Amino acid sequence: LPIKEKIKAISNELGDGEDLQAEIHSYKEKISSLDCCDEVREKLLKECDKLSKLQSGSVDASIARAYIDTVLGLPCKCEKNS
């Protein structure tokens, strides 16, 4: 996947990578302080990892951001089935 690596390198040179990494760091802090079950936390962290591999202005990145923002905005308390 050398082309993806080149695109990522160019994005970093343009400064896009730094903004995206700061955004992902912010999301991960919010996720770690979220009062929810491990399943939800793991899914959100997986989406952050996915976001880190995308170009910041891409449609897929926008979808990932919208998903993370939506879930972070939900009242999230999972109940364990007994």
Side-chain angles (χ1 to χ4, degrees), residues 17-37:
E18 294 172 9
D19 293 340
L20 183 60
Q21 292 307 315
E23 182 180 17
I24 290 168
H25 180 72
S26 174
Y27 278 139
K28 286 184 176 183
E29 285 181 347
K30 290 176 184 177
I31 292 166
S32 67
S33 66
L34 194 62
D35 183 20
C36 66
C37 59

Side-chain angles (χ1 to χ4, degrees), residues 2-79:
I3 294 174
K4 287 186 179 183
E5 291 174 13
K6 288 179 184 178
I7 291 171
K8 192 170 187 175
I10 292 169
S11 290
N12 287 337
E13 287 179 23
L14 294 173
D16 293 341
E18 294 172 9
D19 293 340
L20 183 60
Q21 292 307 315
E23 182 180 17
I24 290 168
H25 180 72
S26 174
Y27 278 139
K28 286 184 176 183
E29 285 181 347
K30 290 176 184 177
I31 292 166
S32 67
S33 66
L34 194 62
D35 183 20
C36 66
C37 59
D38 291 338
E39 182 180 357
V40 172
R41 189 173 287 108
E42 288 172 15
K43 175 64 177 163
L44 287 173
L45 289 173
K46 186 176 178 181
E47 285 296 313
C48 284
D49 290 339
K50 178 178 157 184
L51 180 59
S52 71
K53 297 173 185 169
L54 299 171
Q55 289 184 339
S56 62
S58 71
V59 173
D60 290 338
S62 296
I63 292 169
R65 280 188 196 92
Y67 177 81
I68 294 168
D69 287 335
T70 299
V71 175
L72 286 174
L74 294 173
C76 183
K77 289 194 177 185
C78 297
E79 296 180 16

